[in-house]
Amino acid sequence: MKSFIKVLTACMLCLVLGSCGSVSLLITEKSTSKAAFDEAAFDEEFYRTSVPDETQEATVQTEEQESASAAETQTSAVTSTATTAKETVSETASSAAAVTQATEKTTGAGNTLTLPTKPSTTAKTVVDTKIETKETKSDLKYGVKQINVVTTYYDIYSDGSKVQTDQKSYVKYDTSKYKATTNDLLPEAKSNKTANIIEIKSASNTVNGYRSDKDAAPLTFSDDLSTAACVRATEMAYSGKLSSTRPGGAAYSTVLKDMGIEYKNCIELTCKGYTSGEAAMAALKSKTQNLSIMTSGEYKNIGAGVAKSPDGVWYWSLILTD
């Protein structure tokens, strides 16, 4: 390239000299105040001004595309960085808000940050059951005690806690210490006779109906025998013993002696659970032996008695004498 430029320069000089005729050749001394000739800069300038326009345009276009591409890449990188930063800030803010809301507590003069306790993942389970019974005793009468019972049921959990699941209450009676004489029982016996006189007489009439069926003479209703029968019914109701033997072990007939009732022969029939005189006598009649006693010509007088136990059971006594 440099050789080509030298030749071209020489040719141009010859043309100038030829047109001017004579030329004085002056040898100019190298100036010390001006910059030395820069061959490389001249070559570059010459090349730039000598290349075709379309090549220059292509070069310019390529440079513009490269600049645009670089700008686009830079913009994309900036955008990606900004997005990542925004997401990081958002996540950090959300985490900070959650921690602040869950753990910050204010006490007194300052703020104390308490880290949240991790909830237990182990669920409570029932490992056992427990029954607790509470009894409250009180004196009733004749040595009988009333007992109020409250029973509570619990589920026992694996963490040691207990939860009530049910509760039941009821009343029971302790008759093991029962003790009463005829005189002790007499006031209540008379009260029972008065309160239940209709059913007592119904029992007497029912027995006479059985006697009529057997062509036997009717029995005479006795008020004293009915009082004695009510004494017997009352002591059976409080002692809880259905028997013709009295709770102290004596025979039933001792109640007649206690009340001054004279007799040569007597008999007692007992039953429980019936609220009417007719039903009670029908229950006694169901036994063949009892029916024979109830219709026997040996007996002339009848008395019936009834009493209700503390737990609601009705006791009956039927006494026949000659």
Side-chain angles (χ1 to χ4, degrees):
M1 176 61 72
K2 290 180 179 181
S3 299
F4 173 76
I5 294 172
K6 289 179 179 180
V7 173
L8 181 60
T9 302
C11 291
M12 290 177 66
L13 183 57
C14 290
L15 290 175
V16 172
L17 291 176
S19 61
C20 295
S22 61
V23 178
S24 296
L25 293 176
L26 298 176
I27 300 174
T28 306
E29 293 182 357
K30 184 180 295 185
S31 174
T32 59
S33 60
K34 294 184 179 179
F37 176 74
D38 190 343
E39 243 179 55
F42 178 82
D43 289 343
E44 182 179 352
E45 179 66 21
F46 178 80
Y47 173 76
R48 187 171 59 247
T49 55
S50 300
V51 294
D53 292 340
E54 59 183 9
T55 302
Q56 186 174 4
E57 291 177 359
T59 301
V60 172
Q61 183 178 4
T62 300
E63 291 176 352
E64 290 177 352
Q65 290 176 347
E66 291 177 353
S67 298
S69 177
E72 183 179 353
T73 301
Q74 184 175 3
T75 302
S76 176
V78 170
T79 302
S80 176
T81 301
T83 301
T84 303
K86 183 177 180 181
E87 291 175 352
T88 303
V89 170
S90 177
E91 291 177 358
T92 303
S94 297
S95 300
V99 171
T100 300
Q101 183 178 3
T103 63
E104 188 174 26
K105 294 181 180 179
T106 302
T107 58
N111 294 334
T112 299
L113 182 64
T114 304
L115 294 177
T117 302
K118 183 178 180 181
S120 175
T121 57
T122 303
K124 293 195 303 182
T125 58
V126 177
V127 296
D128 199 3
T129 58
K130 185 177 181 181
I131 300 175
E132 292 182 356
T133 301
K134 182 179 180 181
E135 296 185 352
T136 305
K137 295 183 179 181
S138 59
D139 291 330
L140 186 58
K141 57 176 63 176
Y142 314 130
V144 176
K145 291 186 179 297
Q146 178 175 305
I147 305 173
N148 296 311
V149 183
V150 178
T151 303
T152 307
Y153 301 83
Y154 297 95
D155 279 343
I156 308 301
Y157 286 85
S158 53
D159 64 351
S161 63
K162 65 179 182 179
V163 176
Q164 179 179 325
T165 58
D166 195 8
Q167 187 175 74
K168 297 179 181 179
S169 60
Y170 60 95
V171 179
K172 65 180 183 179
Y173 299 89
D174 180 6
T175 61
S176 61
K177 304 296 183 181
Y178 170 84
K179 185 177 181 180
T181 65
T182 300
N183 287 334
D184 293 335
L185 298 168
L186 199 54
E188 188 169 352
K190 290 181 178 179
S191 177
N192 287 337
K193 184 184 69 173
T194 301
N196 298 287
I197 190 62
I198 294 176
E199 294 302 329
I200 288 172
K201 287 188 174 181
S202 174
S204 176
N205 293 334
T206 299
V207 172
N208 280 329
Y210 301 154
R211 292 178 67 86
S212 176
D213 293 340
K214 297 289 184 178
D215 294 328
L219 300 172
T220 302
F221 178 79
S222 169
D223 189 71
D224 289 341
L225 280 179
S226 292
T227 301
C230 281
V231 170
R232 287 285 298 126
T234 301
E235 67 183 7
M236 286 191 294
Y238 278 96
S239 67
K241 295 178 180 179
L242 182 67
S243 173
S244 288
T245 300
R246 301 184 75 177
Y252 73 89
S253 58
T254 58
V255 70
L256 300 179
K257 293 178 180 179
D258 291 342
M259 294 181 62
I261 299 174
E262 297 181 357
Y263 66 92
K264 291 182 180 180
N265 295 306
C266 66
I267 189 71
E268 180 190 52
L269 302 177
T270 61
C271 65
K272 70 175 181 178
Y274 303 96
T275 57
S276 71
E278 183 178 0
M281 297 305 106
L284 291 175
K285 177 191 173 185
S286 62
K287 295 181 179 180
T288 303
Q289 183 179 357
N290 287 345
L291 180 59
S292 297
I293 293 172
M294 295 165 76
T295 59
S296 173
E298 183 179 355
Y299 302 108
K300 302 293 188 288
N301 304 299
I302 184 173
V306 63
K308 187 177 182 180
S309 71
D311 57 354
V313 179
W314 291 90
Y315 285 79
W316 287 87
S317 170
L318 178 68
I319 299 178
L320 306 177
T321 64
D322 57 5

